Amino acid sequence: MIILDSAATPPPVRGIPLQQPRSTKGSQAMKKFMQAAAFAMATLIAMTGCGSSDTDSGEQSVTVWMYQAINDEAKHKELWENLTTKFSQANPGVKVDVKFFPWPKRDESIQTAIASHSGPDLVYLVPDQLSTYADAIEPVDTQLSETRKNDLLPNVRQAVTVEGRMLGAPLLTSSNPLICNAEAFKTAGVTTYPRTWDDMTQMAPEFTAKDMYAITYSADPSQTLNMSFYPLLWQAGGSVFDANGQPAFNSPQGVRALEFLTGLAEANALEADSLTTAVNTEQTAFAKGHTGCTWSIPASDLAKYVPPEDLIVLPPLKGEQSVAYGTVGSLAVLKDAKHKDAAGRFAAFVTDPVNSVDYLKAGGYFSPVKNSHLLYAGDPVQEKVEQTLPNVKFGEPHRAARQVMGVLSPEIQAALMGQKTPQQALDAAAEAAKPLIR
């Protein structure tokens, strides 16, 4: 399965593998090695013409950095080739070169490329990355028509807007509501699906009594918290950051969310392997029919291993409120782009709802515009997931969002492993996050 929220080769749960803080001398050495490798990568990219340039014929050249948002690598490249060919036919003076990179260490390579002015013209980013790299991004407000901007779902437009500037042209969206396995419920003898945290807690013993799990939850630190802990934090009424941009996840709401999880972990109701390892979708207990529910794996990925009739799409669990996470994949123009207008025109072309249909359906994604429900009309799973888009939360934009995940993830895992109490874990992460926030 592919992670859109972050980077991987592709890892099991969509999300961005995070650079984790290390404390040992060996880890510090590895960190320096990776930084040097990232710099070398950016230098090589610059030497091989990754940035835009004029060709001998006078063409404008636009370079795009893209990541494998579709599992089928050959199909993914074919779709981009089709898009660039159609664009070039309509814009004969512009040559577009789409370069594909692996998800792992994506942020490190982007950061290095920006710092060394050797980056691409366009790059695929999600909302918290738009905030992180805001100073290096050229707004796309003028490249998208007023009609296009007004057609966007309100929460999508808000997700790509930073300090009043629209920094990304939205290409796709996703939603991760609660997904339950009907066959697993039948095996466990559970006849009703959960709507609230209390429902989940009450039904968990019926699963564990059959040597099954109530939830597949990924706690491996390489996986994004957007797909795991943050939805519970929001459902509790909490937030990652407060109004002043300071850590707020160690609030009473955050503690309550983590206590909900640790209670399930203590009862052996969380899939054991996923607490310590990034498990491929097909290898999860959910895909094998041994877990009741998950919100960490997209329905489109699960549909490859679980019969559609057994995938039950439900509203997100409710603590104080019902909230799901989703992502917005967008194309952003970097300020260093030599031909900003050409880059912006390509971004507008690719993200046009008419031009992106094949790409969206191939990846199991949704259109970021209103009234696009016909994209999956008749699909027993995707049509229901699509209906949840207006109420999805696309993360919490903050310049230090990625770094904060890096210090929070291992603390949450420590709590789930019984090494710290929820309050201790969240307080430790909040303290570690303070120096990261500027």
Side-chain angles (χ1 to χ4, degrees):
M1 92 188 239
I2 295 293
I3 290 185
L4 279 188
D5 174 81
S6 185
T9 310
V13 181
R14 263 183 216 175
I16 298 177
L18 306 170
Q19 181 180 9
Q20 302 299 330
R22 308 290 185 184
S23 58
T24 66
K25 293 182 179 179
S27 296
Q28 290 293 341
M30 178 58 70
K31 180 178 179 181
K32 292 181 179 179
F33 172 79
M34 293 306 302
Q35 290 174 339
F39 181 79
M41 177 183 177
T43 302
L44 177 61
I45 287 168
M47 292 175 63
T48 56
C50 200
S52 64
S53 63
D54 291 327
T55 64
D56 292 339
S57 61
E59 287 182 325
Q60 293 182 338
S61 178
V62 173
T63 299
V64 183
W65 279 11
M66 187 58 202
Y67 305 85
Q68 194 178 334
I70 295 174
N71 281 326
D72 187 329
E73 183 178 357
K75 181 65 174 179
H76 190 223
K77 291 184 177 180
E78 177 189 338
L79 289 165
W80 276 101
E81 288 173 2
N82 292 341
L83 287 168
T84 57
T85 297
K86 291 179 181 178
F87 177 78
S88 294
Q89 290 172 347
N91 299 268
V94 181
K95 178 183 178 181
V96 179
D97 182 15
V98 180
K99 295 185 180 295
F100 299 91
F101 292 92
W103 293 105
K105 301 298 179 183
R106 175 172 69 158
D107 281 299
E108 288 87 337
S109 62
I110 292 175
Q111 291 165 5
T112 304
I114 289 174
S116 61
H117 303 284
S118 60
D121 303 291
L122 281 168
V123 60
Y124 178 90
L125 299 176
V126 294
D128 58 357
Q129 289 177 309
L130 293 175
S131 296
T132 299
Y133 308 126
D135 292 340
I137 297 174
E138 189 77 17
V140 297
D141 303 71
T142 58
Q143 297 291 348
L144 302 182
S145 68
E146 288 302 314
T147 299
R148 277 281 299 282
K149 289 185 286 189
N150 291 334
D151 281 345
L152 292 171
L153 288 165
N155 53 349
V156 169
R157 185 168 182 175
Q158 180 182 14
V160 298
T161 300
V162 178
E163 297 176 356
R165 302 176 303 153
M166 192 171 177
L167 298 186
L171 170 63
L172 56 85
T173 61
S174 68
S175 175
N176 288 72
L178 185 68
I179 308 293
C180 293
N181 189 322
E183 184 61 29
F185 271 71
K186 182 179 178 180
T187 301
V190 180
T191 58
T192 58
Y193 294 109
R195 299 286 178 176
T196 67
W197 290 6
D198 288 342
D199 291 344
M200 184 65 75
T201 300
Q202 291 168 11
M203 79 176 199
E206 298 184 61
F207 281 88
T208 57
K210 297 290 180 65
D211 292 325
M212 300 172 69
Y213 302 108
I215 297 175
T216 288
Y217 174 94
S218 179
D220 183 85
S222 69
Q223 302 303 300
T224 175
L225 293 180
N226 283 328
M227 302 281 289
S228 54
F229 180 69
Y230 285 175
L232 294 176
L233 177 62
W234 300 328
Q235 289 165 18
S239 60
V240 183
F241 303 100
D242 63 20
N244 296 317
Q246 296 300 309
F249 48 76
N250 61 333
S251 64
Q253 293 87 350
V255 173
R256 189 156 59 247
L258 191 48
E259 285 177 342
F260 167 67
L261 273 182
T262 55
L264 291 170
E266 290 167 3
N268 297 316
L270 300 183
E271 181 177 341
D273 289 346
S274 292
L275 295 181
T276 58
T277 307
V279 183
N280 291 327
T281 300
E282 66 272 20
Q283 296 173 337
T284 61
F286 187 101
K288 296 176 181 179
H290 299 152
T291 294
C293 302
T294 188
W295 59 85
S296 295
I297 308 174
S300 59
D301 286 346
L302 292 170
K304 299 169 187 174
Y305 310 105
V306 180
E309 60 271 19
D310 287 337
L311 288 178
I312 309 301
V313 180
L314 299 167
L317 285 175
K318 182 179 181 181
E320 294 298 319
Q321 53 191 355
S322 177
V323 186
Y325 168 74
T327 194
V328 177
S330 65
L331 291 179
V333 180
L334 296 185
K335 287 184 176 179
D336 281 338
K338 186 173 183 181
H339 303 295
K340 295 185 179 68
D341 180 68
R345 278 187 283 133
F346 181 70
F349 177 86
V350 170
T351 60
D352 185 291
V354 175
N355 297 330
S356 62
V357 168
D358 290 343
Y359 191 89
L360 296 177
K361 297 196 74 171
Y365 303 117
F366 306 100
S367 174
V369 301
K370 306 169 189 172
N371 304 318
S372 62
H373 58 279
L374 295 179
L375 191 63
Y376 292 101
D379 186 302
V381 176
Q382 290 292 77
E383 186 175 26
K384 292 180 180 178
V385 176
E386 193 169 26
Q387 293 170 4
T388 69
L389 286 173
N391 298 317
V392 161
K393 189 179 182 72
F394 297 115
E396 292 189 40
H398 191 287
R399 290 179 182 269
R402 293 294 165 119
Q403 295 94 321
V404 168
M405 276 194 197
V407 297
L408 179 55
S409 289
E411 293 294 343
I412 289 174
Q413 185 183 51
L416 291 173
M417 301 302 292
Q419 299 166 358
K420 292 184 178 182
T421 68
Q423 187 72 68
Q424 289 172 340
L426 295 178
D427 283 345
E431 192 63 29
K434 289 178 181 178
L436 303 174
I437 296 175
R438 61 182 192 277

